[in-house]
Amino acid sequence: MHMPVPGVDVEGAVGLPDAPELLSNDPNAYAWGVLRDRTPKLIQQIRDAHPYEPRQRAALDGLLEEIVTGTVQPLDAGAPDQAAWDEWGRDYFGRPWADVPFLWWESYFYRRLLGAVGFFDPGPWFWVDPFESLKSAELRDPALEADLAALDQVFQQPIEEQAQAKLLASLWGNRADLGFRVGMTGEHPEQAGLVADDSARLWSCIRPGAGNEICVVADNAGRELLADLVLIDHLIENGLAGSVALHVKPHPYYISDAVTADVVACLRRLAATPGTATKVSSRLWTAMGDGRLTLHTHEFYCAPWSFHRLPADLAREFASACLTLVKGDLNYRRLVGDRGWPATLPFADATAYFPGPVAALRTLKSDVATGIDPATLSELDATGEAWRTSGTHGSIQARR
């Protein structure tokens, strides 16, 4: 059975940015709240959601105590990926969690959480997704039925309207309302929440009928992945992509990260709604069978680094794609670097290192921002609202 042994080469980072990395030691910063508030609550939530044994409960309690009062400790001896993490953490072990780069410690936290519940250990809890109940709850939400039924009206719109509606639904997909109703009237009110909108440039990266491949780097399971699949169906069925490579995590990691099982669950959920949703599921099921839609994964997606350290095989894949579509806030942080950029830094400059055309669909949920027009930035800052982290704003950014 597959064991996660990350062997990715993280040396020789390309275009590594020189802006300061974001830490979690500023009480006024978003990362502080993640470390001091969200992370302890998540540990308790996972602890309460499973009938874990005393050993697992003690390990979770120990992890919580370490995060709150202690320093970053290495993996236990014998962990399948111990050698990799010993290398990756050599500059961080022994330091307070708050003094370690946010992107690094957040990734390591989820690795430690999985270790605490016995995810990697042969035995009764081996490979049991601790987040599955949270992800599947979204697919069981009765309100989801009306959203999926709304696809019937979306598919009656002109093709350009359909395309934009599905793009926006993919962006906003992890909110309570999937957004499939956007576009029914030929208007897109959800675009009012965008701090940057490179939709036209994104679509211009795609050459219809060229038999090209598009890579989609997924973020969340549940509602967001449903919307991603609807967008992928649009790309394939309308000749915008000869094939789509959907990249998911190799195993559960961040709380709602999509894995292969989540793709299957979403296809089955689409199939359970009569009408257009069922047709989308059937088409995608067929596309997977004939190779037009393929699932990809890589251990690098569970490494604590930005995409500046892409291993050679992933870099080659992205270089050969006509477009790589990067989904979600975490992947955005990895794409541009989780650093103190000026928000007006052009997105093209922040992603110049990336080996091919790239676009990012993101609901803003962290401090990092690039590619925002100075006038727009002034207006946003003048509101006094936490627009970078509230999840009320989004962005569509692209670089050819």
Side-chain angles (χ1 to χ4, degrees):
M1 186 173 290
H2 171 71
M3 291 290 289
V5 185
V8 299
D9 178 9
V10 297
E11 299 298 327
V14 177
L16 194 63
D18 57 6
E21 290 184 291
L22 297 182
L23 307 179
S24 303
N25 53 15
D26 179 358
N28 296 315
Y30 172 75
W32 170 276
V34 175
L35 179 63
R36 299 294 182 179
D37 182 50
R38 182 187 299 180
T39 298
K41 288 180 179 177
L42 176 59
I43 292 175
Q44 189 62 48
Q45 185 179 18
I46 295 301
R47 193 181 191 276
D48 293 343
H50 301 83
Y52 285 137
E53 302 166 8
R55 172 183 58 85
Q56 295 161 300
R57 293 180 178 275
L60 289 170
D61 293 343
L63 177 59
L64 175 58
E65 182 177 1
E66 178 186 320
I67 289 172
V68 174
T69 65
T71 58
V72 180
Q73 298 300 305
L75 295 180
D76 292 337
D81 49 354
Q82 179 188 2
W85 280 103
D86 281 350
E87 174 66 21
W88 298 344
R90 60 183 177 182
D91 294 331
Y92 305 128
F93 294 141
R95 295 168 57 179
W97 284 72
D99 293 339
V100 169
F102 180 25
L103 183 65
W104 193 96
W105 79 248
E106 194 175 24
S107 179
Y108 187 55
F109 161 73
Y110 281 100
R111 171 58 185 87
R112 290 284 302 280
L113 181 64
L114 290 172
V117 301
F119 181 84
F120 301 115
D121 301 333
W125 293 94
F126 179 72
W127 226 249
V128 175
D129 184 350
F131 312 120
E132 189 279 331
S133 62
L134 303 175
K135 292 187 286 189
S136 62
E138 286 195 13
L139 300 184
R140 295 194 302 266
D141 183 358
L144 183 59
E145 193 69 15
D147 260 331
L148 295 179
L151 283 170
D152 293 348
Q153 286 74 45
V154 172
F155 274 74
Q156 294 174 10
Q157 300 302 311
I159 197 66
E160 295 81 5
E161 292 294 326
Q162 287 189 40
Q164 195 65 9
K166 295 167 187 175
L167 186 70
L168 289 168
S170 180
L171 187 158
W172 298 114
N174 60 355
R175 303 194 310 182
D177 179 0
L178 270 175
F180 286 139
R181 294 179 181 82
V182 174
M184 288 185 188
T185 63
E187 299 176 353
H188 299 290
E190 296 284 19
Q191 287 183 268
L194 298 182
V195 301
D197 185 3
D198 292 344
S199 299
R201 184 177 297 121
L202 184 156
W203 292 117
S204 74
C205 293
I206 302 173
R207 303 179 302 277
N212 46 277
E213 178 174 87
I214 294 176
C215 293
V216 177
V217 182
D219 184 32
N220 292 322
R223 291 174 176 269
E224 182 173 346
L225 185 56
L226 285 170
D228 294 343
L229 290 170
V230 171
L231 177 61
I232 289 170
D233 171 71
H234 180 91
L235 296 173
I236 294 175
E237 287 303 304
N238 291 282
L240 299 177
S243 61
V244 173
L246 177 58
H247 289 238
V248 296
K249 292 290 194 302
H251 59 72
Y253 209 51
Y254 282 55
I255 186 167
S256 55
D257 282 357
V259 297
T260 298
D262 299 314
V263 176
V264 176
C266 284
L267 289 174
R268 288 173 174 160
R269 181 62 187 85
L270 286 167
T273 299
T276 300
T278 293
K279 295 176 182 177
V280 169
S281 176
S282 178
R283 290 195 296 261
L284 290 174
W285 202 282
T286 299
M288 292 186 73
D290 62 27
R292 288 174 295 151
L293 172 58
T294 56
L295 295 182
H296 294 228
T297 192
H298 199 289
E299 293 294 348
F300 178 76
Y301 290 132
C302 295
W305 309 114
S306 73
F307 290 166
H308 298 82
R309 298 176 183 267
L310 282 173
D313 53 349
L314 264 184
R316 285 193 297 269
E317 184 170 354
F318 294 148
S320 66
C322 92
L323 178 69
T324 296
L325 183 59
V326 174
K327 288 295 314 298
D329 190 78
L330 173 61
N331 282 328
Y332 188 90
R333 290 164 58 197
R334 300 185 80 184
L335 177 64
V336 304
D338 200 37
R339 295 174 178 255
W341 296 116
T344 55
L345 176 75
F347 178 76
D349 290 354
T351 59
Y353 76 94
F354 197 82
V358 63
L361 302 183
R362 175 203 187 194
T363 301
L364 276 64
K365 296 180 180 177
S366 63
D367 285 322
V368 175
T370 66
I372 301 180
D373 177 83
T376 301
L377 180 62
S378 296
E379 293 175 5
L380 291 166
D381 287 341
T383 65
E385 300 175 357
W387 59 269
R388 293 174 183 248
T389 60
S390 63
T392 57
H393 292 75
S395 63
I396 300 173
Q397 295 175 301
R399 191 221 75 207
R400 293 182 61 86

